[in-house]
Amino acid sequence: MPDSRVSNTITGRDAFLRVLTDEGVSKMFGNPGTTELPIMHALSSAPEMGYVLGLQEAVVICMADGYARASGKLVSCNVHVAPGLGNAIGSIYTSQMSGTPMIVTAGQQEQGHGLTEPLLYAPLVPMAQPVVKWATEVTRIEDLPRILRRAAKIATTAPTGPVFISLPGDILNSEAPLELGETTRVDTAVRPNDAALEQLAKRLLSAKKPVILAGHEIATADAFGEAAALAEALGAPVLQQTVAWGAHFPSEHPCYLGALNRDQKYVRSVLSAYDLMFCVGADVLKMSVWSETEPLPETTAVAMLGQRDWEMGKNFPAEIALRADVKETLKALVPLVKKLGGAALEKKARENIAELETRNWSFQKAERKAKLAAPAAGAKGLPAEWVMMRMTEKMPADVILVEEGLTSTATLFHYFPFRDRNSFFGNVSGGIGWGIAAAVGVQVAEPKRRVFAVIGDGSAMYSITALWSAANQKLPVVFVIANNAGYQILKNRLKLFHGNDTPIGMDFNDPPMDIAGIARGFGVPAERVDSAAAFDKAIDAALARTDGPSLIEVMIAK
């Protein structure tokens, strides 16, 4: 490959792939159309760029999202002109919420030809702008390398996120002497100044009962150890943020109490025990449905640390708000807290941690498991909580869990432990259909670890074609589909909010779905189970299969 700094005559399509490769992109996820054929042509002579085919654009983005979140690498997604970008928008929204570093491109009709408004045409940049950090169209081939370099820099600079580039066909097919440029990465791994750090340390020490709210930046900054060290130094309990979409703190740590939920009254009752909430890379009490109850008690002050200043004071004022890298800040904060707190803090921390032994996650897990009844013989379907417990027991110790089960997985996190920052990935946006496809991308990124994907039947139907991609790539993902024959979360809320127990348009029983049959149609070995013995046998068989995916459709008791 020629030196990228040397001017050379090259086509736009070849320059596109060469610059992406130089930016560290090694995987492109895509679904091609006619306007993307120049890129597909160039891929024939660029084996270093691995291409993963998705059968619909929303699936493409979700696969890439899973890959980027698990690998930490910049990823490329190529979708098809206006309808394809439209298909992808909901998934790009999810990637925006998770801050996934992603370059999304779409082929566009040749410049000038678009003026005639041919089939599939629409201005692409306005379509993409609401869900990306930056969107642009290349209008001169000479600008292509600069735009790609800028896109990579923007996507990877904290707070990270997706960007979009429209690629007209004439730009890709033409040829010119191009300066390909070089990579720029903005180093944002900085900590606050000494005065701010000391102010934070003293505020934490002055709190009578502080609590740490653990968020996703603990995972993305690789700060598991540093976050645990802070909890130990303070003897402070740790709660996970209300939207549990990553492994944000080691579950088996003695200070970890579990995740908050999105019930405002419950969250307020939990937080009322604490006079200071220190949010470490967290969303501050993001909720779902409206409630007249504010989740944050007036007696609980807030301090914040993280890269996303938009979140700081957005809904709840923060006494201290530090825009900084979580890992670097905690590395400096913990020894300072210990120094200022001295022997008195050390004694207090030991006492606090001892008190947490009868309340922490490990204690709750043991208690809950002891009370959990075995499935009744001959019952129609399996209890969701038993399925979650049993599945967790069967998983390898280094498993990666991808979850989008909504109601069926409500108890999963009472049993599944977060052991490292890549042990769990969840859907951040609430828009369903992410899970099956994301699991494919996660397994591509982590080929040496086994991926389990636990997905609800409703969510599965949004992106069921991703099963084909898993089979095509020969990925050993174990898909567990919890089939409760409907949108159970909507039925629950219809009854709760409106007293209506006769749902319309929320059941999948006329006709019933055969998800295992659908999976087999995509080349995935699959079976339906409704008993404990059959479930155990199916899990064991899936784990024994390493040359491709398996699917288990679990019938959930209602």
Side-chain angles (χ1 to χ4, degrees):
M1 184 179 293
D3 189 325
S4 64
R5 294 169 294 182
V6 177
S7 295
N8 58 93
T9 300
I10 188 172
T11 62
R13 59 183 180 263
D14 288 328
F16 172 74
L17 293 181
R18 197 170 295 182
V19 173
L20 283 182
T21 299
D22 191 55
E23 288 288 345
V25 176
S26 58
K27 291 291 180 186
M28 178 183 292
F29 295 79
N31 179 265
T34 304
T35 51
E36 290 71 47
L37 288 181
I39 292 172
M40 305 309 292
H41 176 51
L43 281 169
S44 301
S45 55
E48 69 278 3
M49 181 67 70
Y51 187 84
V52 180
L53 173 62
L55 302 185
Q56 200 258 12
E57 288 87 355
V59 168
V60 166
I61 301 296
C62 292
M63 290 195 300
D65 182 87
Y67 172 84
R69 285 174 61 181
S71 68
K73 295 179 180 178
L74 179 65
V75 70
S76 169
C77 308
N78 194 35
V79 301
H80 179 45
V81 83
L85 178 59
N87 287 340
I89 289 293
S91 297
I92 300 173
Y93 168 79
T94 295
S95 294
Q96 180 192 45
M97 294 294 102
S98 62
T100 302
M102 174 188 294
I103 297 177
V104 181
T105 55
Q108 176 63 293
Q109 283 93 348
E110 289 76 6
Q111 296 177 99
H113 183 46
L115 182 63
T116 69
E117 298 187 358
L119 190 68
L120 304 174
Y121 174 77
L124 301 182
V125 172
M127 291 175 62
Q129 278 176 327
V131 291
V132 296
K133 290 183 71 177
W134 182 55
T136 193
E137 182 169 281
V138 184
T139 57
R140 297 193 317 153
I141 188 173
E142 294 82 3
D143 295 333
L144 177 62
R146 177 172 289 167
I147 286 172
L148 285 169
R149 298 293 185 182
R150 186 181 298 178
K153 183 210 71 170
I154 292 170
T156 58
T157 299
T160 57
V163 297
F164 173 76
I165 304 172
S166 171
L167 298 172
D170 55 311
I171 298 293
L172 294 173
N173 288 321
S174 60
E175 190 175 46
L178 298 179
E179 187 73 30
L180 298 185
E182 296 182 349
T183 299
T184 297
R185 289 293 182 270
V186 179
D187 186 352
T188 59
V190 297
R191 70 168 183 83
N193 61 51
D194 291 345
L197 206 61
E198 184 170 346
Q199 180 192 18
L200 175 59
K202 288 180 176 178
R203 182 65 184 92
L204 290 170
L205 291 170
S206 69
K208 293 179 180 178
K209 292 197 70 177
V211 64
I212 297 170
L213 187 65
H216 74 280
E217 289 182 45
I218 291 175
T220 56
D222 192 15
F224 250 47
E226 290 78 9
L230 177 65
E232 292 162 15
L234 293 170
V238 179
L239 296 165
Q240 179 162 288
Q241 66 182 33
T242 54
V243 182
W245 55 276
H248 304 151
F249 195 85
S251 303
E252 293 157 320
H253 191 280
C255 291
Y256 184 63
L257 300 186
L260 289 174
N261 61 27
R262 294 186 295 282
D263 180 329
Q264 287 92 329
K265 291 181 180 179
Y266 170 78
V267 171
R268 186 180 181 90
S269 69
V270 170
L271 294 180
S272 64
Y274 307 104
D275 62 338
L276 177 67
M277 179 174 66
F278 180 33
C279 304
V280 182
D283 291 330
V284 187
L285 309 185
K286 180 177 284 188
M287 295 295 159
S288 297
V289 299
W290 177 84
S291 170
E292 61 185 9
T293 301
E294 285 284 1
L296 184 72
E298 293 78 4
T299 52
T300 306
V302 176
M304 289 198 67
L305 166 66
Q307 295 279 16
R308 296 169 302 143
D309 56 335
W310 176 257
E311 295 298 323
M312 298 177 179
K314 182 177 73 174
N315 295 320
F316 307 102
E319 284 187 12
I320 298 174
L322 301 179
R323 181 177 178 178
D325 179 75
V326 166
K327 187 181 184 78
E328 292 302 314
T329 302
L330 294 184
K331 280 165 62 176
L333 178 64
V334 171
L336 182 58
V337 165
K338 290 181 176 178
K339 177 183 175 182
L340 294 175
L345 174 63
E346 190 175 347
K347 179 176 181 292
K348 179 183 176 183
R350 282 198 305 269
E351 293 171 350
N352 288 352
I353 293 173
E355 186 272 330
L356 292 173
E357 287 180 358
T358 57
R359 295 197 292 128
N360 65 22
W361 182 88
S362 297
F363 181 86
Q364 293 177 48
K365 175 186 174 181
E367 268 203 329
R368 195 173 190 107
K369 184 178 177 182
K371 296 176 182 177
L372 184 62
K380 291 184 65 177
L382 292 167
E385 182 167 354
W386 182 90
V387 171
M388 298 304 115
M389 181 278 296
R390 190 64 172 156
M391 179 183 63
T392 300
E393 286 188 335
K394 290 277 190 180
M395 290 175 176
D398 67 343
V399 71
I400 299 176
L401 176 65
V402 176
E403 179 271 330
E404 192 186 355
L406 302 180
T407 53
S408 293
T409 56
T411 60
L412 175 59
F413 302 110
H414 293 294
Y415 300 101
F416 180 79
F418 305 146
R419 290 186 171 135
D420 65 76
R421 64 173 178 151
N422 264 18
S423 57
F424 169 70
F425 296 97
N427 185 354
V428 56
S429 72
I432 66 174
W434 168 88
I436 285 185
V440 173
V442 171
Q443 188 72 84
V444 171
E446 289 274 14
K448 295 181 180 179
R449 296 175 67 174
R450 205 65 185 268
V451 172
F452 265 64
V454 188
I455 315 293
D457 51 349
S459 293
M461 289 301 104
Y462 274 65
S463 54
I464 197 69
T465 60
L467 292 176
W468 181 89
S469 297
N472 173 256
Q473 296 289 313
K474 296 179 173 54
L475 302 173
V477 183
V478 179
F479 295 98
V480 178
I481 309 299
N483 187 342
N484 57 20
Y487 294 130
Q488 190 62 47
I489 190 170
L490 294 182
K491 291 193 279 187
N492 293 349
R493 288 179 173 179
L494 183 68
K495 185 175 181 180
L496 178 65
F497 299 159
H498 300 283
N500 185 338
D501 201 19
T502 55
I504 295 173
M506 300 176 195
D507 288 305
F508 307 153
N509 50 19
D510 185 18
M513 290 180 182
D514 180 3
I515 299 175
I518 295 171
R520 288 191 291 270
F522 285 121
V524 177
E527 58 183 303
R528 173 181 285 187
V529 300
D530 60 4
S531 70
F535 181 74
D536 284 349
K537 184 179 178 182
I539 290 279
D540 292 341
L543 286 171
R545 185 178 297 116
T546 58
D547 59 349
S550 304
L551 183 140
I552 304 166
E553 181 184 7
V554 185
M555 304 309 292
I556 301 298
K558 297 182 181 180

